[in-house]
Amino acid sequence: MEISAFSMEEIKDPTNIIEGKRFEFLLDVEIDEEDELYTEAGIEVRVIVAQNEEDIRILNYFIIEKAENTYLDFALEEEEEAIILSFCHEQLTTESIE
Protein backbone atom coordinates (compact mmCIF):
# COMPACT_ATOMS: atom_id res chain seq x y z
CA MET A 1 0.00 0.00 0.00
CA GLU A 2 1.30 3.40 -0.98
CA ILE A 3 -0.35 6.79 -0.44
CA SER A 4 0.01 8.74 -3.68
CA ALA A 5 -2.05 11.87 -2.88
CA PHE A 6 -4.15 13.26 -0.04
CA SER A 7 -6.30 16.08 1.21
CA MET A 8 -6.88 17.03 4.83
CA GLU A 9 -9.57 19.13 6.45
CA GLU A 10 -10.34 19.94 10.08
CA ILE A 11 -13.84 18.96 11.14
CA LYS A 12 -15.34 21.76 13.23
CA ASP A 13 -17.37 20.95 16.34
CA PRO A 14 -19.82 23.84 16.78
CA THR A 15 -21.03 22.41 20.11
CA ASN A 16 -17.53 22.04 21.62
CA ILE A 17 -18.62 18.68 23.04
CA ILE A 18 -15.71 16.76 21.53
CA GLU A 19 -12.40 17.06 23.34
CA GLY A 20 -9.47 17.77 21.02
CA LYS A 21 -9.63 18.15 17.25
CA ARG A 22 -10.98 15.96 14.44
CA PHE A 23 -9.62 15.76 10.93
CA GLU A 24 -10.80 14.11 7.75
CA PHE A 25 -8.16 12.73 5.41
CA LEU A 26 -8.98 11.59 1.89
CA LEU A 27 -6.12 9.36 0.75
CA ASP A 28 -5.49 8.11 -2.79
CA VAL A 29 -3.98 4.71 -2.24
CA GLU A 30 -2.11 2.48 -4.65
CA ILE A 31 -2.72 -1.21 -4.00
CA ASP A 32 -0.77 -4.18 -5.31
CA GLU A 33 -2.64 -6.13 -8.01
CA GLU A 34 -2.48 -9.25 -5.82
CA ASP A 35 -4.43 -7.55 -3.00
CA GLU A 36 -8.17 -8.25 -2.68
CA LEU A 37 -8.79 -4.48 -2.48
CA TYR A 38 -7.22 -3.88 -5.89
CA THR A 39 -9.41 -2.28 -8.56
CA GLU A 40 -8.25 -0.93 -11.88
CA ALA A 41 -9.58 2.57 -11.14
CA GLY A 42 -7.98 2.58 -7.71
CA ILE A 43 -9.28 3.22 -4.21
CA GLU A 44 -9.49 6.06 -1.76
CA VAL A 45 -9.54 5.76 1.99
CA ARG A 46 -11.54 8.36 3.93
CA VAL A 47 -10.08 8.51 7.43
CA ILE A 48 -11.43 10.34 10.48
CA VAL A 49 -8.60 11.11 12.91
CA ALA A 50 -8.73 12.47 16.46
CA GLN A 51 -5.97 14.64 17.89
CA ASN A 52 -5.88 15.38 21.60
CA GLU A 53 -2.58 17.09 22.39
CA GLU A 54 0.08 14.54 21.35
CA ASP A 55 -2.36 11.61 21.07
CA ILE A 56 -3.39 10.97 17.46
CA ARG A 57 -5.61 8.02 16.58
CA ILE A 58 -7.91 6.72 13.86
CA LEU A 59 -11.58 6.94 14.85
CA ASN A 60 -13.01 5.45 11.67
CA TYR A 61 -12.24 4.87 8.01
CA PHE A 62 -14.09 4.06 4.82
CA ILE A 63 -12.65 2.40 1.73
CA ILE A 64 -14.05 3.82 -1.50
CA GLU A 65 -13.79 2.33 -5.00
CA LYS A 66 -13.01 5.35 -7.21
CA ALA A 67 -14.66 4.30 -10.49
CA GLU A 68 -18.10 3.69 -8.98
CA ASN A 69 -17.63 5.96 -5.93
CA THR A 70 -18.96 3.14 -3.75
CA TYR A 71 -17.95 2.04 -0.28
CA LEU A 72 -16.23 -1.33 -0.04
CA ASP A 73 -17.00 -3.54 2.93
CA PHE A 74 -13.42 -4.44 3.80
CA ALA A 75 -11.28 -3.90 6.86
CA LEU A 76 -7.68 -2.79 6.57
CA GLU A 77 -4.98 -5.05 7.93
CA GLU A 78 -3.19 -3.88 11.09
CA GLU A 79 -0.08 -3.05 9.05
CA GLU A 80 -2.14 -0.92 6.62
CA GLU A 81 -3.81 0.91 9.51
CA ALA A 82 -0.37 1.57 11.00
CA ILE A 83 0.85 3.02 7.67
CA ILE A 84 -2.18 5.33 7.48
CA LEU A 85 -1.90 6.40 11.12
CA SER A 86 1.80 7.15 10.70
CA PHE A 87 1.07 9.19 7.56
CA CYS A 88 -1.71 11.18 9.28
CA HIS A 89 0.46 11.75 12.36
CA GLU A 90 3.26 13.09 10.15
CA GLN A 91 0.89 15.46 8.32
CA LEU A 92 -0.64 16.77 11.55
CA THR A 93 2.69 17.34 13.27
CA THR A 94 4.06 19.05 10.15
CA GLU A 95 0.91 21.19 9.98
CA SER A 96 1.27 22.35 13.60
CA ILE A 97 4.90 23.37 13.02
CA GLU A 98 4.05 25.62 10.07
Side-chain angles (χ1 to χ4, degrees):
M1 169 190 282
E2 185 175 322
I3 299 168
S4 57
F6 79 99
S7 64
M8 177 184 78
E9 183 176 325
E10 185 174 354
I11 301 170
K12 302 292 183 188
D13 176 21
T15 62
N16 290 322
I17 293 173
I18 300 172
E19 190 175 321
K21 295 181 178 182
R22 301 292 183 267
F23 297 89
E24 177 184 54
F25 284 82
L26 190 57
L27 309 173
D28 281 343
V29 179
E30 293 180 15
I31 302 289
D32 187 278
E33 288 184 32
E34 305 290 320
D35 195 301
E36 63 184 331
L37 284 177
Y38 177 80
T39 65
E40 207 168 298
I43 65 165
E44 294 177 327
V45 182
R46 180 177 170 234
V47 184
I48 308 299
V49 175
Q51 180 183 29
N52 192 357
E53 297 182 20
E54 295 299 315
D55 180 42
I56 297 174
R57 60 191 169 91
I58 294 175
L59 295 178
N60 206 348
Y61 63 84
F62 306 93
I63 302 170
I64 305 164
E65 198 273 327
K66 287 167 61 171
E68 300 291 326
N69 199 29
T70 56
Y71 290 96
L72 301 176
D73 190 20
F74 284 99
L76 295 173
E77 295 176 3
E78 285 184 30
E79 181 181 311
E80 293 168 329
E81 283 188 35
I83 290 168
I84 289 174
L85 181 58
S86 175
F87 178 84
C88 294
H89 188 277
E90 182 179 320
Q91 299 310 312
L92 289 171
T93 54
T94 302
E95 176 86 7
S96 64
I97 293 171
E98 294 175 356

